[in-house]
Structures are given as structure tokens and as C-alpha cells.
């Protein structure tokens, strides 16, 4: 469902961030993307969300050929792709419930539907009882779980997590990874960048290594493993 065919991204004339990257990610995969800082990981994710356009090459996601994508279709594309980041990006003056509800309000959902849907994702990420808390009253791990809830409440096909555990201590990092695994088990494709070697080793998922804008290694786990 995610296809990159010889995708190159240059920022300006010199900044070669990705160099003819080809990859295929099947629906419902959980893929870790690793590589040193500056390797091109975020660029790869930004090409997926259409925050950046490739300099050359083809990108097809869920049957949508990005070459054919019109600007007015981008909001619809982004509803199919949830995103979370290292710094959570929550609205500080809104409660947990309101932060998640906001993602539904902006697509015109009624309050009845919102009141039905939001408690279900709060339950999914294990934040029952925290509905009325504000972000600053939560731990980093809890804040990231609110961000995940907000990202998945519209049931995207793909969840992009750019260094989601970067600001968290190991325990909270694993809480967040556990929630991402659960979401993956519900059928969402998960792409996650990480510098955390412990997570890479223990998770036993496909790992794509990017080095200097190229894929230097791609391991997928054999059948029978998790
Ligand atoms: P990573 O996420 O692996 O740290 P990035 O994709 O952010 O790597 O960056 C890859 C390369 O592209 C780096 O050399 C970086 O400096 C460059 N780069 C990233 N974003 C921009 C930008 N907006 N303008 C110019 N150069 C950029």
C-alpha cells in the first residue's frame, strides 16, 4: 500500500536528502525506520504526508499516485495518515477529551458522534479517568498517548510516528510502543522512526535503515515471528 520507486529529494541544489529510495510496505505492517541524524528519515515521512514533494521518483499510497494528487485533495489524504511527533503537539488549553475531540470537530462530526467516539479511543490508549486533565497535568508518556488517540480517532490507514519515544524515559517509551502495537493489531500500518536500539532489538519488526539518503538495510521478520 506504500510504494516508493526511485524517490529522490533534494532541498535546493545541494541538499540531497534521499537518493533513489525504493521500498514497498504492505498494509498492516509495523516498520521501524532507523538511521543517524540527518540520514533522511523525516524527509521520507514528510514525502508520505505530502509536506514535501519529491524531486524525482514515484510515490503511491493506498492506490493514490502522488503525481496525480491535486492540492485540494491533500486534506483528504491526511485523514488517511495519522501523525505523532517527539514533542506531542497537544493543545495546552484543552483537556485530554477536547484535544482528541478537536480532530473530529474540524471534520464536521456532530457532538453526539464525538461523545460516542472519543471515549473509545481514550480506552484504547489506556487513559480512562484522565479525560478532564490538561496536558501539563500528565506525564510525557500519557501526553504521547493522547497524541496517539488524536491521531487514530479518525481511523487512518497509516500511522506515522516520528521519534515518538524520543522525550520519554524507558518505561513510558515502552507504554507508548505497546499502544502502537495494539493499534497495529487493529489493522493500521505503523511507520515509526527511532534512535532507541533497545526498542529495535526487542520489538522484532521489520527495520529499514537509512544511511546518507539511501536504504542501507531492510530486514523483514520471517513468518511465525510476531
Ligand atoms: P533525519 O530525519 O534522518 O534526521 P532529515 O530527513 O531531517 O534526516 O534530513 C536529511 C537531510 O536533509 C539532512 O542533511 C538535512 O540537513 C536536510 N534537510 C532536511 N530538511 C531540510 C530543509 N527543509 N531544507 C534544507 N535541508 C533540509
Amino acid at each position: 500500500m506504500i510504494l516508493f520507486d526511485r524517490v529522490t529529494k533534494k532541498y535546493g541544489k545541494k541538499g540531497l536528502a534521499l537518493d533513489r529510495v525504493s521500498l514497498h510496505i504492505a498494509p498492516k505492517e509495523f516498520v521501524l525506520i532507523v538511521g543517524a541524524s540527518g540520514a533522511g528519515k523525516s524527509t521520507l515521512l514528510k514525502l508520505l504526508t505530502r509536506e514535501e514533494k519529491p524531486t524525482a521518483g514515484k510515490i503511491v499510497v493506498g492506490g493514490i499516485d502522488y503525481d496525480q494528487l491535486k492540492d485540494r485533495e491533500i486534506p483528504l489524504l491526511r485523514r488517511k495518515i495519522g501523525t505523532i511527533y517527539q514533542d506531542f503537539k497537544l493543545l495546552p488549553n484543552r483537556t485530554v477529551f477536547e484535544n482528541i475531540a478537536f480532530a473530529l470537530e474540524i471534520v464536521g462530526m456532530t457532538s453526539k458522534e464525538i461523545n460516542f467516539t472519543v471515549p473509545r479511543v481514550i480506552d484504547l490508549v489506556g487513559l480512562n479517568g484522565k479525560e478532564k486533565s490538561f496536558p501539563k497535568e500528565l506525564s510525557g508518556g500519557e501526553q504521547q498517548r493522547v497524541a496517539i488517540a488524536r491521531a487514530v480517532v479518525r481511523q487512518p490507514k497509516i500511522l506515522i510516528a516520528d521519534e515518538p519515544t524520543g522525550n520519554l524515559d524507558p518505561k513510558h517509551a515502552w507504554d507508548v510502543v505497546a499502544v502502537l502495537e495494539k493499534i497495529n493489531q487493529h489493522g493500521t500500518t505503523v511507520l515509526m522512526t527511532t534512535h532507541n536500539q533497545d526498542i529495535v532489538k526487542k520489538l522484532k519488526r521489520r527495520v529499514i535503515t537509512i544511511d546518507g539518503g539511501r536504504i542501507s538495510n531492510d530486514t523483514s521478520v520471517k513468518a511465525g515471528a510476531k
Side-chain angles (χ1 to χ4, degrees):
M1 77 143 20
I2 297 174
L3 182 84
F4 273 52
D5 184 16
R6 285 162 290 172
V7 171
T8 293
K9 174 65 186 176
K10 277 186 198 167
Y11 292 102
K13 283 211 171 98
K14 280 193 182 158
L16 182 63
L18 286 182
D19 186 12
R20 286 163 293 162
V21 166
S22 294
L23 61 86
H24 178 256
I25 296 172
K28 303 177 188 177
E29 268 197 88
F30 191 127
V31 181
L32 295 166
I33 300 170
V34 303
S37 185
K41 305 178 297 295
S42 301
T43 298
L44 184 101
L45 301 182
K46 284 180 187 160
L47 289 168
L48 276 174
T49 54
R50 202 61 171 174
E51 280 166 75
E52 295 288 350
K53 290 183 180 176
T55 311
K58 195 165 205 54
I59 302 175
V60 183
V61 178
I64 301 169
D65 180 342
Y66 281 19
D67 288 337
Q68 312 293 327
L69 198 64
K70 303 197 173 56
D71 283 349
R72 63 179 158 78
E73 294 166 337
I74 291 174
L76 201 63
L77 173 83
R78 296 214 176 121
R79 279 184 221 171
K80 295 183 184 174
I81 307 177
T83 47
I84 61 164
Y85 301 94
Q86 182 166 349
D87 56 356
F88 322 133
K89 298 192 193 298
L90 299 174
L91 300 166
N93 301 323
R94 290 181 188 239
T95 64
V96 167
F97 188 99
E98 289 163 351
N99 262 280
I100 302 165
F102 187 64
L104 300 176
E105 283 163 17
I106 57 175
V107 295
M109 229 189 220
T110 63
S111 20
K112 195 176 167 198
E113 288 168 313
I114 290 172
N115 289 333
F116 177 80
T117 308
V118 174
R120 275 161 182 74
V121 288
I122 287 180
D123 190 46
L124 178 71
V125 301
L127 286 175
N128 303 302
K130 300 282 182 187
E131 293 80 355
K132 292 187 177 143
S133 300
F134 287 91
K136 67 172 187 305
E137 297 167 339
L138 303 174
S139 71
E142 287 169 339
Q143 290 186 53
Q144 190 60 292
R145 284 187 278 144
V146 178
I148 296 173
R150 183 181 57 182
V152 301
V153 71
R154 295 190 307 220
Q155 300 185 302
K157 297 263 183 278
I158 301 168
L159 179 62
I160 286 178
D162 196 0
E163 199 68 44
T165 64
N167 282 341
L168 306 178
D169 60 40
K171 168 165 185 334
H172 288 124
W174 279 106
D175 287 347
V176 163
V177 170
V179 171
L180 293 175
E181 287 214 279
K182 200 165 157 188
I183 284 159
N184 177 244
Q185 279 154 15
H186 281 85
T188 305
T189 308
V190 177
L191 265 70
M192 164 176 165
T193 66
T194 185
H195 282 110
N196 187 323
Q197 278 305 317
D198 195 41
I199 290 175
V200 174
K201 280 194 203 116
K202 290 189 185 144
L203 213 53
K204 296 189 170 54
R205 298 287 189 158
R206 177 177 176 188
V207 181
I208 295 176
T209 308
I210 304 186
D211 187 2
R214 308 190 93 166
I215 293 181
S216 60
N217 197 26
D218 185 349
T219 60
S220 37
V221 181
K222 300 269 184 301
K226 206 163 60 137

